[in-house]
Amino acid sequence: MKLCYVWILFAVAGLSGCAVGPDFKRPDTPQVLWHTTLPHGGKLESLDKWWQQLNDPLLSELIVDTEKNNPSIDMALAKMNEARANATISGANLYPSLNLTAGSTTSRSAMGSFLFQQTTNSVGFNASWEIDLFGKNRRTAEASQARFGAGETGWHDARISLAAEVAEVYIELRECEAELSSAEQNKKSHADVQEVTSIKEGAGLASAMEEARAQASEADGDSNYVSKQGECARTLNRLTALTGIEQNALKTRLSARQGQIPIPNAVDVSSVAAQVLRQRPDVATAEWNLAAASADIGASKAALYPSLTLTGSVANNLIYMSGQSAVVPTWSFGPSLSLPIFSGGRGRAGVKAAQARYDYALASYQKTVRDAVQEVEDTLVRLNVANARARDGEKTQKRFQQLFQATE
């Protein structure tokens, strides 16, 4: 009879292969039509060493140093570690649990003039295992694993965003330093012109109006120089806050390449929309969140069905009573079935809430993809405009050089 009972339990446990709810399917990447002309003829190149393309070793050093001590990276890393721990907890629910128990109790009772004292020392094991009949634990573990994936891609997203921000501020500072040097030369030039005009005006070779115009130009040059100084100081403060490096130490490291703007040999980007989208951590994070929401639907539906738990215990009890002792071994084993009958509609509402969260995650994923496509399109436009302006700038430089030589 006992053997038949065990086989019945194993047959019921075999039902745990069933899992209700939808199986997640990766959304198809939207078919994107690129309207923007690709720069550099759409030539592809590995972007593994992107920041080294700017040919500025200090920038690469600052990006590495910033990542080591930045609150945004620490926050993303903490969220990823929390998601990893939650995934481990959810995965552990799929397996039996075993606990060691030990205890000692003493009791005293009286019957007339007789006193009875009993001491029981026990040590044993308790075990329990929830048979995952309808996949509730598996769906929960699936959702937790997906959230860990989202946390991991979020950490990569934070690293990429931080590196881009450091590079942007660093280049702004170098541009500001170059403009400050130009403003200083311009200031000196206006001062020299004002001095010559003043001499000419004293000799009767220039009018008072020309003298006033030269003084106004000198004052304007001074104002532009002071304004650019303030702009450079604010940009340096931003870079200090980002990197976490003490400002005097940062100034010392920056002084070696002061006013030198990082210029890459070439900037190549992917020309296929799907490849660009797969490389973006924000799109990957949205996809992981969608997978987690899908698994939550299955977990909510499984909660509407019965749950079966197997429990058992084995213990040795040493009993002392009236100067005598005895060892009493005990054991227990049996299933426990829980069937939700009435909950005021809480279970069905939980399924609807999970479905609503999935719909929200799906819309969020679609929006993230669209925003990513727009950002890439805008970037390609800026690259094309920058290339065109660079060519026009070279022509302008040549014309002004000719004008300067003719004037000289």
Side-chain angles (χ1 to χ4, degrees):
M1 182 65 180
K2 290 183 179 180
L3 184 60
C4 291
Y5 181 66
V6 172
W7 278 111
I8 291 174
L9 291 178
F10 276 112
V12 173
L15 295 176
S16 61
C18 171
V20 299
D23 293 325
F24 177 71
K25 295 181 179 179
R26 184 177 184 179
D28 294 332
T29 303
Q31 297 300 316
V32 182
L33 297 178
W34 293 91
H35 305 286
T36 308
T37 304
L38 293 166
H40 312 297
K43 181 181 177 181
L44 300 178
E45 180 182 356
S46 174
L47 302 180
D48 295 338
K49 297 182 179 180
W50 171 260
W51 298 113
Q52 282 74 9
Q53 294 183 88
L54 294 181
N55 301 317
D56 192 321
L58 179 56
L59 173 58
S60 301
E61 292 175 8
L62 291 178
I63 290 175
V64 173
D65 294 343
T66 301
E67 186 175 328
K68 293 178 181 177
N69 182 27
N70 187 271
S72 61
I73 298 296
D74 294 339
M75 292 166 61
L77 183 60
K79 291 184 67 175
M80 183 187 70
N81 290 334
E82 180 187 9
R84 179 190 285 116
N86 288 334
T88 302
I89 293 172
S90 298
N93 292 331
L94 297 172
Y95 303 98
S97 63
L98 179 65
N99 300 315
L100 173 65
T101 62
S104 178
T105 60
T106 300
S107 62
R108 177 178 294 181
S109 60
M111 183 178 294
S113 58
F114 295 98
L115 293 176
F116 300 94
Q117 181 170 314
Q118 176 177 310
T119 300
T120 303
N121 299 324
S122 63
V123 60
F125 296 93
N126 288 333
S128 65
W129 184 23
E130 181 180 355
I131 306 300
D132 201 19
L133 294 177
F134 299 97
K136 181 180 70 174
N137 292 337
R138 274 170 291 159
R139 293 299 191 192
T140 301
E142 182 182 331
S144 297
Q145 191 64 38
R147 290 189 174 94
F148 166 62
E152 188 175 25
T153 53
W155 174 57
H156 289 301
D157 192 15
R159 297 176 63 194
I160 293 172
S161 300
L162 180 63
E165 189 174 3
V166 171
E168 180 181 12
V169 177
Y170 178 83
I171 293 174
E172 285 182 13
L173 180 60
R174 291 311 193 191
E175 291 174 347
C176 189
E177 290 172 348
E179 292 171 356
L180 181 63
S181 177
S182 177
E184 185 178 11
Q185 295 176 5
N186 192 44
K187 172 187 173 183
K188 184 177 182 303
S189 176
H190 282 301
D192 292 342
V193 170
Q194 194 279 331
E195 182 180 358
V196 172
T197 305
S198 178
I199 295 173
K200 290 172 63 179
E201 194 271 339
L205 299 176
S207 65
M209 182 181 66
E210 291 175 317
E211 167 71 6
R213 183 185 297 115
Q215 290 176 348
S217 296
E218 182 184 18
D220 184 60
D222 293 343
S223 175
N224 289 336
Y225 177 74
V226 172
S227 176
K228 188 58 64 175
Q229 275 187 322
E231 181 182 339
C232 292
R234 290 191 297 272
T235 306
L236 178 61
N237 289 338
R238 289 173 56 196
L239 189 60
T240 302
L242 274 175
T243 59
I245 302 173
E246 196 272 328
Q247 192 166 104
N248 290 330
L250 182 59
K251 284 182 179 179
T252 301
R253 297 174 67 177
L254 291 170
S255 61
R257 299 176 63 89
Q258 187 169 2
Q260 298 183 30
I261 303 173
I263 300 177
N265 297 327
V267 179
D268 295 325
V269 296
S270 295
S271 60
V272 182
Q275 292 180 357
V276 175
L277 294 180
R278 280 196 294 267
Q279 292 172 2
R280 290 181 60 109
D282 56 343
V283 175
T285 299
E287 184 179 322
W288 280 118
N289 288 332
L290 183 62
S294 175
D296 286 338
I297 296 176
S300 299
K301 287 185 176 181
L304 299 176
Y305 296 94
S307 61
L308 177 65
T309 304
L310 301 180
T311 59
S313 65
V314 176
N316 250 353
N317 302 296
L318 182 59
I319 302 176
Y320 295 93
M321 183 175 181
S322 301
Q324 298 183 1
S325 63
V327 176
V328 181
T330 60
W331 64 270
S332 66
F333 174 78
S336 173
L337 183 67
S338 175
L339 175 64
I341 297 178
F342 178 75
S343 61
R346 181 169 51 224
R348 296 291 179 186
V351 175
K352 291 181 179 179
Q355 182 64 53
R357 288 193 295 270
Y358 175 82
D359 294 339
Y360 178 87
L362 178 59
S364 178
Y365 170 79
Q366 293 171 340
K367 182 178 183 301
T368 301
V369 171
R370 290 186 182 183
D371 292 344
V373 172
Q374 179 186 344
E375 289 178 8
V376 174
E377 284 262 15
D378 292 344
T379 301
L380 293 175
V381 170
R382 287 195 294 269
L383 283 174
N384 288 327
V385 171
N387 289 337
R389 290 184 63 188
R391 291 190 293 269
D392 293 339
E394 291 176 358
K395 295 178 182 178
T396 303
Q397 181 186 10
K398 291 180 181 179
R399 298 296 181 267
F400 274 113
Q401 186 68 29
Q402 294 172 356
L403 175 62
F404 173 76
Q405 292 172 355
T407 304
E408 191 176 38

